[in-house]
Amino acid sequence: MRLRALLENDALGLRLLGGADELDRSVRGVMTTDLRDPSRYLAGGELVLSGLAWRRTPQDAEPFVRILVAAGVAGLAAGTAELGGVPDDLVEACARHRLPLFAVDESVAFATITEYVVRQVSGERAGDLAAVVDRHRRLMTSGPAGGGPEVVLDLLGSDLDLRAWVLSPTGRRVAGDALPGPVGAALAAEHLAAVRAGRHAPHRAVAEGVVYSLFPVRARGTGSDADGPRGDGTAGPYGDALSDWFLVVAADATEWPAERLDLLQGVTQLIAVERDRREAAHTVRRRLAQEVLELVQAGAAPAEIAARLRVAGPVLLPGLVSAPHWQVVVARVECGAPDDGAGAVTRAVLEEVLDTAHVSGLPDAPGQESSDRVAVAHTGDEAVALVPLTSPLLVEGAPGSGSGEGGLRADALLAAVSGPLAAGLGDDGRLTVGVSAPVSSAEGLRGALEEARHARRVAAARPGPVNAAGHHELASHVLLLPFVPDDVRRAFTARLLDPLREYDRRHRAELIPTLEAFLESDGSWTRCAQKLHLHVNTLRYRVGRIEQLTGRDLSKLEDKMDFFLALRMS
């Protein structure tokens, strides 16, 4: 259909404010949005309906219109109920960019316009495509009660005879019938590797002799108000690959016609809306987690932390009567070049790890994922999860909780996700995780946080892209440091550090700070050089000098641990 058909229908009550010369544009769909950047949901040719809730100042109009024009939309229809009319700044911005602009009378519902457009567009398509598009229109206009991804998959099955699933980045089933565990993990690995390599979707994959096609659920645009795909700064290829769902269909889509591929892209946009709703539901939990983390890191009084936990407890565990035990999980994702959104990416990955692992000890709640009950925050490039353990058996140790240790086990936490995440991280990426022992009060959280961080450093010292370490692995060294006799501590640190201190005193070479930064960077030459504002060759020279003076090899785990302990005890 053409844009001018909208004006010819008096029942729509549209008034043209600009773009009379562009009314022959084709309309291929309709989208209702009040996002400041809806580009991820636009494929081109849409009539965009907006209530203008995104407009906070007159300066917001220009970037909004630029995003629509870049996405290739056919026109913009603005509601007048929110602001009492269409503001002049929006009219002027649309005129500058030659974007047709309509005013929608407040007596006309967006659903009426949507129904008309979809009916016209679907009437131009054939057979099964028309039926599916029309049903999708009802989902798009039904708000939060639209039925979620399960209803979308039912439509694909009933109208196109396609078996389909929605999976998480680790292969966890979000929607659809049951899939064998190895199949989900294999498809997730294929998806992550394809997205990371920048291959064009759909991605073809074969698992257990069946051909599947994989469609990324969230197609990002550029210039997204710095909100990131998860509304928190997550950006770039790693954020895409490690935090997004994807749609799986049991078919080879490489030979599909363009119309059917367009339809599947539209399906992914519908599923993305549901993903955003779930993400929004996590906002309060993340904020509470952030507040608790900041209090713990600042050394706040236990009473103050306990008060904040009393607020967080009912949000994380509705109906909770007594305070749970808590466990702290710390994670870090490294993806080669530094990324300003690394902390948010890590948080998304840690939430996914906890979801996939089906965290033990969390109360059963139909329809809830683990991240609905686990508070995850991030600081810098590190994510911190506060996991409630309500079962006394889990705290004291029970069959299934692992060696009588109680609580979460680091090795079990990553068992189901190592393969897919390794594929997503590639050769230059790493995920390292540390898990603390359970604690029963606010007084123990600071120690638990440090314990989890120490455990993560132990994991980082191991080879491989995905590693975890638990509190039980610290018992032989870090937890015993305060009990080492002073004369032993002095002898140990002097043997390793005195040659470096003397060299620094004579040459001002800063070998000790270099050593500290190198270990804090987990042996990453690039990150350490950036942290110290040095060229990598200069860093290599300094590390070589450290090895010459001490007779140690910083590529070996045992020597790294010795230096780490010496610095800790000095």
Side-chain angles (χ1 to χ4, degrees), residues 182-219:
V183 172
L187 294 177
E190 290 283 349
H191 164 70
L192 288 172
V195 173
R196 189 177 184 281
R199 297 204 296 270
H200 183 70
H203 312 305
R204 186 179 185 275
V206 179
E208 295 191 353
V210 179
V211 177
Y212 298 91
S213 294
L214 317 178
F215 296 80
V217 161
R218 308 182 76 175

Side-chain angles (χ1 to χ4, degrees), residues 441-464:
S441 65
E443 287 86 345
L445 280 179
R446 185 177 179 85
L449 176 60
E450 288 303 314
E451 190 174 66
R453 283 175 168 162
H454 289 321
R456 193 207 63 78
R457 292 189 184 101
V458 172
R462 297 169 177 163

Side-chain angles (χ1 to χ4, degrees), residues 40 84 242 328 383 397 445 457 487 542:
R40 70 188 70 167
L242 298 173
V328 177
L445 280 179
R457 292 189 184 101
D487 56 340
R542 289 188 183 181

Side-chain angles (χ1 to χ4, degrees), residues 71-114:
V73 304
L76 170 65
T80 58
E82 178 79 12
L83 302 177
V86 179
D88 291 340
D89 50 87
L90 181 58
V91 176
E92 293 167 2
C94 288
R96 280 194 297 273
H97 293 279
R98 300 178 64 83
L99 179 66
L101 175 64
F102 302 87
V104 182
D105 189 90
E106 62 183 74
S107 64
V108 179
F110 280 179
T112 301
I113 300 173
T114 300

Side-chain angles (χ1 to χ4, degrees), residues 491-506:
F492 182 77
T493 57
R495 186 178 303 113
L496 280 174
L497 301 183
D498 277 2
L500 307 182
R501 290 175 178 143
E502 177 61 20
Y503 192 88
D504 281 350
R505 186 186 64 79
R506 289 187 289 110

Side-chain angles (χ1 to χ4, degrees), residues 68-413:
L68 297 188
V69 171
V73 304
L76 170 65
T80 58
E82 178 79 12
L83 302 177
V86 179
D88 291 340
D89 50 87
L90 181 58
V91 176
E92 293 167 2
C94 288
R96 280 194 297 273
H97 293 279
R98 300 178 64 83
L99 179 66
L101 175 64
F102 302 87
V104 182
D105 189 90
E106 62 183 74
S107 64
V108 179
F110 280 179
T112 301
I113 300 173
T114 300
E115 183 174 4
Y116 172 79
V117 172
V118 173
R119 187 167 58 247
Q120 296 299 313
V121 172
S122 63
E124 297 169 2
R125 295 183 180 179
D128 59 355
L129 293 182
V132 174
V133 170
D134 187 61
R135 295 190 184 196
H136 287 174
R137 181 270 307 164
R138 292 201 296 274
L139 286 175
M140 293 178 71
T141 58
S142 59
E150 291 285 0
V151 173
V152 180
L153 300 188
D154 287 344
L155 288 174
L156 290 177
S158 61
D159 289 66
L160 294 182
D161 196 27
L162 284 175
R163 294 182 65 209
W165 301 262
V166 178
L167 301 183
S168 76
T170 59
R172 175 176 56 87
R173 182 174 59 89
V174 176
D177 297 333
L179 267 176
V183 172
L187 294 177
E190 290 283 349
H191 164 70
L192 288 172
V195 173
R196 189 177 184 281
R199 297 204 296 270
H200 183 70
H203 312 305
R204 186 179 185 275
V206 179
E208 295 191 353
V210 179
V211 177
Y212 298 91
S213 294
L214 317 178
F215 296 80
V217 161
R218 308 182 76 175
R220 292 176 177 76
T222 56
S224 56
D225 285 339
D227 288 334
R230 300 172 71 90
D232 48 23
T234 308
Y238 298 113
D240 291 354
L242 298 173
S243 62
D244 288 350
W245 293 348
F246 62 103
L247 174 68
V248 178
V249 295
D252 187 349
T254 55
E255 300 298 327
W256 281 5
E259 292 84 355
R260 181 164 288 205
L261 288 175
D262 287 345
L263 176 63
L264 266 292
Q265 293 298 337
V267 169
T268 65
Q269 293 174 8
L270 291 175
I271 297 170
V273 172
E274 175 64 19
R275 179 67 189 275
D276 285 345
R277 288 175 185 151
R278 297 192 187 187
E279 286 298 309
H282 294 166
T283 301
V284 173
R285 296 179 185 88
R286 289 170 176 166
R287 185 181 302 120
L288 288 171
Q290 202 72 38
E291 292 173 359
V292 172
L293 175 60
E294 290 171 1
L295 288 174
V296 171
Q297 290 191 134
E304 187 177 359
I305 299 173
R308 179 52 56 188
L309 286 176
R310 283 194 292 273
V311 174
V315 175
L316 295 172
L317 300 168
L320 182 67
V321 176
S322 59
H325 289 70
W326 300 93
Q327 217 168 347
V328 177
V329 181
V330 172
R332 177 182 287 174
V333 170
E334 303 168 35
C335 300
D339 185 349
D340 291 339
V345 172
T346 302
R347 183 180 66 188
V349 171
L350 182 54
E351 287 176 342
E352 178 58 35
V353 166
L354 294 173
D355 282 343
T356 305
H358 301 295
V359 175
S360 301
L362 296 174
D364 292 333
Q368 273 194 320
E369 297 174 337
S370 298
S371 59
D372 290 332
R373 294 153 286 154
V374 176
V376 184
H378 73 84
T379 174
D381 58 356
E382 177 183 80
V384 179
L386 191 61
V387 181
L389 302 173
T390 58
S391 168
L393 290 177
L394 282 167
V395 177
E396 297 170 5
S401 63
S403 306
E405 294 282 350
L408 303 179
R409 294 281 300 181
D411 49 357
L413 200 58

Side-chain angles (χ1 to χ4, degrees), residues 16-32:
L16 184 65
L17 300 181
D21 296 334
E22 305 291 333
L23 293 180
D24 284 328
R25 290 186 181 187
S26 296
V27 179
R28 296 194 293 273
V30 62
M31 162 121 184
T32 301

Side-chain angles (χ1 to χ4, degrees), residues 36 52-61 83 87-90:
R36 302 183 72 185
L52 306 185
W54 51 266
R55 183 185 178 276
R56 300 166 191 168
T57 68
Q59 287 71 39
D60 292 336
L83 302 177
D88 291 340
D89 50 87
L90 181 58

